[in-house]
Amino acid sequence: MNTATQTAAPAARSRRKLPSEVNILLVLVGISLTFEILGWILQGQSFLGNTQRLSIMILQVSVIGIIAIGVTQVIISGGIDLSSGSIVGATAMIAMSLAQVGTFPRAVYPGLTDLPVIVPIIVGLLIGLACGLINGLLIAYTKIPPFIATLGMMVAARGFAKWYTKGQPISFPTDGFAALGQGLNPVFIFLGVAALLHVVLRYTRYGKFTYAIGANPQAARVSGINVERHTVKIYAVAGILSGLAGIVVAARGLTAQAGMGTMYELDAIAMAVIGGVSLAGGRGSILGTMIGMIIFGVIISGFTFLRLDAYYQEMLKGAIIVAAVVADVYRQRKRVKTT
C-alpha cells in the first residue's frame, strides 16, 4: 500500500464518522426502548405511551435545562460553574418578594398594589448577572481556579437566600408572574434560550472565541482574543441564565424557598457531559446538551416508572455522572491518539 493510500484511508474514515449528536441520539433511543421493554415486563404497561408522564418529565428538566445551556458554554471554555443552583435559590427569593400581591406601596401610587411583572424579572436577571460577573472577574483577573471561585459563590449565594427572609418561604405571586411557570411556558422559555445560544455559539464571534479559549487559552491570547474579558462575559451569561431559571422555578412552584435549586448545578453539568460536552474544554454543542437533558430526564422518569426507591435513584444518578465523565476521558485519549 503506497503512502497516498495510507493517508487517504484515515481521511475516508473521518468523513464516514457520525456527528457526536447522532451517537448521543442513538443512546437516547436505546435507553428509551430499554425502559419500554422493562415496563411491559415488570409493570405490564408502556413507558413511552404515557404522554402525561413524558410531559411531566419535560417540564421537570426544562428548568435545569436552562442552567445547563449556560453551563455548556462555561465548560466549552474550559471552566466549571458550581454556583448555578445557589443562584437559582437567591434569585427565586428576591424575584418572588417583588412579585407578591400588594408589594407596591399605596402611598406612592394610590390604586396600584402590585409591581409590574417586568420588575421582578429584571431584578432577578440582574442578580444572576451580578453573581456571574463576580465569578468571571475572580476567575479571569485573580486566576483563582473556576472550581474554587464558583464554590465560594455557591456557599455565599445560598447563605444570602437564607438571610434574605430569615429562612421563611415567600408565596402568593401576582397572576402575571405566576403565568411564567404555568403550562408549557417553562419549556417554551427553555427552547427560546437554547435556540439563541445555539446560534450565538455556532455563528458568532462570541462562540468562536469561547471554543478557542477552551481548546487552547494561550493560542487564543496570541491570536488576539482578550481571554480575560471574554471569560467574564461567559460567566455573566451563565449567571443570567441561572437567574432566569430561578424566576421560572419560583413562578412554577408559586412559592420561593431558600433551598430551591439544591444540586441543580450537578444535574446541569451531568446533562452537558452526557450530551458530549468535553470537560477538557473546546468541544460540545447546545444540541448535544439538549439531547443529554432528555436522556437525563428519561433515566430519572424511568427509575420512577419502575418504582425504584429514591435512594437507589440517587446512587444510580451518581454512577451515570461518573460514567459520562469516564466516557469523556476515553474520547479525549482516543482523540489524542488519532491526532
Side-chain angles (χ1 to χ4, degrees):
M1 184 181 292
N2 57 33
T3 304
T5 306
Q6 290 176 339
T7 56
R13 286 196 296 268
S14 64
R15 286 194 296 268
R16 292 195 299 267
K17 186 178 180 180
L18 292 175
S20 59
E21 291 84 1
V22 175
N23 294 326
I24 300 167
L25 188 60
L26 292 175
V27 171
L28 171 61
V29 173
I31 292 173
S32 300
L33 291 177
T34 299
F35 279 119
E36 179 72 8
I37 294 170
L38 289 175
W40 283 112
I41 294 174
L42 301 178
Q43 304 291 340
Q45 54 182 312
S46 172
F47 172 71
L48 298 174
N50 192 322
T51 56
Q52 182 180 7
R53 179 185 299 110
L54 295 179
S55 62
I56 292 174
M57 180 268 292
I58 293 297
L59 281 171
Q60 288 175 339
V61 298
S62 60
V63 174
I64 305 178
I66 295 173
I67 302 172
I69 296 301
V71 168
T72 294
Q73 45 125 37
V74 170
I75 298 177
I76 289 173
S77 73
I80 199 72
D81 189 357
L82 300 179
S83 65
S84 51
S86 295
I87 295 174
V88 166
T91 303
M93 297 293 282
I94 295 173
M96 182 63 78
S97 69
L98 296 175
Q100 280 186 300
V101 174
T103 301
F104 199 86
R106 290 178 179 272
V108 176
Y109 193 92
L112 180 63
T113 60
D114 302 332
L115 284 172
V117 68
I118 193 65
V119 174
I121 293 175
I122 291 177
V123 172
L125 295 177
L126 289 176
I127 293 297
L129 172 62
C131 293
L133 283 174
I134 293 172
N135 284 337
L137 290 170
L138 287 173
I139 294 166
Y141 293 105
T142 69
K143 305 306 178 182
I144 295 176
F147 178 87
I148 300 299
T150 58
L151 179 64
M153 178 58 71
M154 178 183 76
V155 177
R158 186 67 66 190
F160 176 84
K162 295 177 181 178
W163 166 84
Y164 188 69
T165 60
K166 302 299 184 289
Q168 299 300 315
I170 308 174
S171 304
F172 307 110
T174 61
D175 292 339
F177 186 82
L180 294 173
Q182 303 309 304
L184 293 176
N185 285 342
V187 179
F188 296 143
I189 293 173
F190 163 74
L191 291 176
V193 169
L196 176 62
L197 263 294
H198 171 75
V199 172
V200 168
L201 284 180
R202 188 162 185 177
Y203 300 107
T204 69
R205 188 170 63 173
Y206 176 92
K208 294 177 181 178
F209 285 4
T210 301
Y211 281 99
I213 293 172
N216 191 325
Q218 189 58 37
R221 184 175 283 105
V222 171
S223 65
I225 298 174
N226 190 324
V227 175
E228 288 75 20
R229 185 169 62 187
H230 193 77
T231 298
V232 174
K233 292 179 182 179
I234 291 170
Y235 281 91
V237 171
I240 291 174
L241 293 182
S242 295
L244 176 60
I247 294 169
V248 174
V249 74
R252 184 166 178 258
L254 302 179
T255 186
Q257 301 179 15
M260 277 183 164
T262 301
M263 300 296 288
Y264 277 15
E265 62 277 351
L266 298 184
D267 289 348
I269 293 171
M271 290 176 181
V273 175
I274 292 172
V277 180
S278 174
L279 290 172
R283 188 164 57 86
S285 68
I286 297 298
L287 180 58
T289 296
M290 292 177 67
I291 301 174
M293 179 197 79
I294 299 174
I295 290 176
F296 192 86
V298 167
I299 291 173
I300 300 305
S301 180
F303 288 160
T304 304
F305 170 67
L306 297 178
R307 299 177 184 176
L308 196 66
D309 290 334
Y311 42 85
Y312 288 131
Q313 293 186 27
E314 294 297 325
M315 288 187 286
L316 288 172
K317 186 192 297 186
I320 291 167
I321 294 173
V322 172
V325 174
V326 170
D328 176 60
V329 173
Y330 173 77
R331 287 195 300 265
Q332 288 298 317
R333 291 177 178 175
K334 187 176 180 180
R335 185 181 179 187
V336 171
K337 288 180 180 179
T338 55
T339 55

